Amino acid sequence: MSRNYLLEYECIACNTLVPVRPFLYACPACGSNLDAKYDYEKLKTEWSKEKLAGDPEKSIWRYFPLLPVGFKPADTSLQVGGTPLVSGSKFAKKLDLRQIFLKDDTRNPSGSLKDRATEVSIQHAEEQNLNILLAASTGNAAASLACLAAYHGKQAVILAPASAPPAKLIQIIQYGAKLYPVDGNYDDAFELSLEIEKKYGWYLRSTGINPVLSEGKKTAALELAEQLNWNLPDQVFVPVGDGCIIGGIYKGFYDLYQLGWITKLPKLVAVQAEGSNAVVKALTSDHLTAVEASTAADSISVNYPRDGEKALRAVKKTGGYGISVSDEEIFEAQHILAQTTGIFAEPAAAAAAAGVIKARCGGLVNSKESAALIITGSGLKDIKTGGKFITIPPAGSRDLKAFSLYWNKNG
C-alpha cells in the first residue's frame, strides 16, 4: 500500500510549506526544522481504532498511515517497537503516586528507542534509492543505525565521539558499520556529518535535522496511548538531549488528538542532566542557547539541542515543564528503578525516573496523578558508568559454612 496521507512538511519556525519531493532536511527559507503534515480528515474516513485493533502487525508499522514513507519494508520480522508498557506500581507506591507506567524501549533490537527513528529512516532512504546512511551520535543512534542497516542490507557510516561508552562502539563495529571515532564531542560530530552529507550525498540520519526521525520516534507515544486504551496518564517524563524524542512524543499525541482518538494531551516533562540543560534553561529565558555539556548521562549530553525548538513546543503546548537532575540523582534513580521494576536503564534513560522523583518531592506531581516514563535505553550499553556506585562482593569459600556467614550478614 502506497502512502496517501502525507501532505507536505511545514517549517516549525516560519511556517513555510515544503513539498514532500524533493526531500529537504530543513526549511529552505530559514533553515529551521520541519514537521510532517498529514491529511487527518481523509485518515478519519479510512482508518479507525477498530481497524488498528484488528491489525496483526506488532511493530511500529501498525501505524503505517501516520508514517512519512510510501511503503512498509518487505520484512519486519526483526521487530522494532511493540515494546511493553510495564506497571511501576512498586515505584509509584514508593513515591505515593496513583500509578506509574514505564514504556520499556530497552526491548528494541539494538536496546534503545532510537530504533524507531532508524527503521523509518532506512525505509525513507530506500525510497530515495540511497544505500549509504550517515549518522552523528553519542552512541545509541549509531548502534541503532548499524544494527538495522545490517538487517536491511544498507551501509552505515558512523561518527561518534571517541569518548562514547565502549559497549556502544563495540555494538557499532559488531554490526559491520564503518565507525569514524571523532576527537571531540557530539556537537563536533554533528557538524562534520553536515559537511559529509553535502560532499557525498549520503542519507543523513543525524538526530535533530531530519524530520523523518521525529515521525519514527512518535510511535512510542502512539503505542503508549493504545496500550492504555487511549486513556493517557497525567504526565509523561522524557529524557532530553537533542530534543528529538520529546518532540516526537508530542507529535504522536498531537496526531492522535487531531484524529479524535484522544481527548487531551498529557503534560510533557523535559528531564535534563544539570550539566546539559539548555532546553530547561530556555523554558525560563525563552531563548535557546548552548551550554558546555558535562554529564555522565552520555546519551543526553549535548551543548546545543538541534531539535530544541520542537522540545520547547512539546512542553509549552501541553502545559508541561522542565526539570534538571544531577548525575548523583540519576544514579540513585537508576538503582531504584532497577530494584522496583526490573528494568535496568542506562543513565540517560534513568533521568526520566530521577525527574519524576524530583517532581514528586517538589510538588510538581501530586499523589492523585499518574505518570509515564519513557525508558529510552538499556543499562547494558554503559555498564562502567552504571556500576559506579555498585560494589561486587569478594569471592567466598566453596563451603556451606562460608555461605551461611555471608547470608547471616547480608540476607
Side-chain angles (χ1 to χ4, degrees):
M1 174 177 148
S2 177
R3 175 186 61 226
N4 55 359
Y5 301 111
L6 179 65
L7 296 174
E8 59 207 350
Y9 292 95
E10 182 179 9
C11 176
I12 188 174
C14 71
N15 302 117
T16 294
L17 297 179
V18 180
V20 174
R21 284 184 169 70
F23 176 69
L24 300 176
Y25 292 103
C27 176
C30 73
S32 297
N33 289 358
L34 301 174
D35 248 344
K37 309 296 288 184
Y38 295 89
D39 189 341
Y40 297 113
E41 293 308 311
K42 188 174 183 181
L43 266 166
K44 287 178 184 179
T45 65
E46 299 182 6
W47 199 40
S48 66
K49 293 179 184 177
E50 292 70 29
K51 281 189 176 181
L52 180 65
D55 189 343
E57 178 64 62
K58 301 299 183 185
S59 76
I60 63 169
W61 294 105
R62 67 188 283 104
Y63 307 108
F64 172 66
L66 278 175
L67 294 175
V69 290
F71 300 91
K72 296 181 183 181
D75 187 350
T76 61
S77 60
L78 185 65
Q79 182 179 315
V80 174
T83 60
L85 187 65
V86 178
S87 170
S89 56
K90 291 180 182 177
F91 189 19
K93 185 176 181 180
K94 192 176 184 71
L95 296 182
D96 187 27
L97 278 179
R98 180 163 62 86
Q99 183 56 286
I100 291 177
F101 301 99
L102 303 110
K103 186 59 176 160
D104 184 12
D105 261 37
T106 69
R107 310 287 188 96
N108 277 311
S110 77
S112 86
L113 182 146
K114 303 297 178 69
D115 289 345
R116 296 176 181 274
T118 300
E119 178 82 344
V120 179
S121 68
I122 288 177
Q123 179 60 28
H124 192 240
E126 170 71 18
E127 293 175 10
Q128 295 183 84
N129 297 312
L130 295 175
N131 292 312
I132 300 178
L133 290 87
L134 169 71
S137 165
T138 55
N140 277 341
S144 173
L145 178 57
C147 169
L148 293 173
Y151 178 69
H152 290 292
K154 301 291 186 182
Q155 176 66 66
V157 179
I158 306 300
L159 310 177
S163 59
K168 296 180 182 180
L169 300 181
I170 290 168
Q171 261 192 299
I172 293 165
I173 295 169
Q174 282 282 10
Y175 290 130
K178 302 298 182 184
L179 173 64
Y180 184 81
V182 175
D183 183 16
N185 59 23
Y186 166 73
D187 296 81
D188 297 320
F190 181 89
E191 291 299 332
L192 180 57
S193 77
L194 298 180
E195 295 180 38
I196 293 172
E197 188 277 328
K198 286 180 181 178
K199 177 177 176 62
Y200 292 97
W202 297 337
Y203 188 90
L204 187 60
R205 188 251 174 266
S206 290
T207 295
I209 186 66
N210 185 338
V212 169
L213 303 182
S214 290
E215 296 301 297
K217 291 177 181 180
K218 80 181 182 187
T219 59
L222 303 180
E223 286 180 14
L224 174 63
E226 186 180 6
Q227 288 168 324
L228 288 174
N229 197 29
W230 315 106
N231 298 307
L232 296 174
D234 297 295
Q235 301 192 27
V236 178
F237 289 77
V238 188
V240 174
D242 239 346
C244 188
I245 292 177
I246 196 169
I249 297 296
Y250 168 76
K251 184 57 161 46
F253 291 142
Y254 173 85
D255 285 348
L256 294 176
Y257 185 79
Q258 295 303 312
L259 290 174
W261 291 15
I262 59 174
T263 57
K264 67 171 186 175
L265 276 64
K267 290 182 180 180
L268 293 184
V269 184
V271 185
Q272 292 200 288
E274 286 180 350
S276 179
N277 61 352
V279 169
V280 173
K281 286 183 175 180
L283 286 166
T284 55
S285 68
D286 213 33
H287 184 62
L288 194 63
T289 56
V291 297
E292 286 295 326
S294 177
T295 173
D298 71 288
S299 293
I300 53 174
S301 181
V302 174
N303 289 354
Y304 185 80
R306 304 293 171 162
D307 229 351
E309 293 302 327
K310 284 186 181 178
L312 293 173
R313 178 183 66 175
V315 174
K316 292 176 180 178
K317 289 288 187 179
T318 61
Y321 53 93
I323 193 163
S324 299
V325 291
S326 68
D327 282 2
E328 290 72 22
E329 288 170 324
I330 288 173
F331 292 134
E332 182 180 0
Q334 183 184 38
H335 197 46
I336 292 171
L337 189 67
Q339 288 185 319
T340 59
T341 70
I343 297 174
F344 181 26
E346 68 170 322
V356 75
I357 293 171
K358 197 164 188 176
R360 181 71 184 104
C361 293
L364 293 170
V365 56
N366 66 58
S367 62
K368 295 181 180 179
E369 291 186 295
S370 60
L373 313 183
I374 308 299
I375 307 300
T376 52
S378 170
L380 296 175
K381 288 172 167 287
D382 192 1
I383 289 291
K384 183 178 179 181
T385 302
K388 277 190 174 182
F389 297 99
I390 300 295
T391 300
I392 298 174
S397 300
R398 292 174 290 171
D399 61 74
L400 182 58
K401 182 179 179 180
F403 174 78
S404 297
L405 289 170
Y406 161 81
W407 185 247
N408 289 336
K409 182 179 179 181
N410 300 286

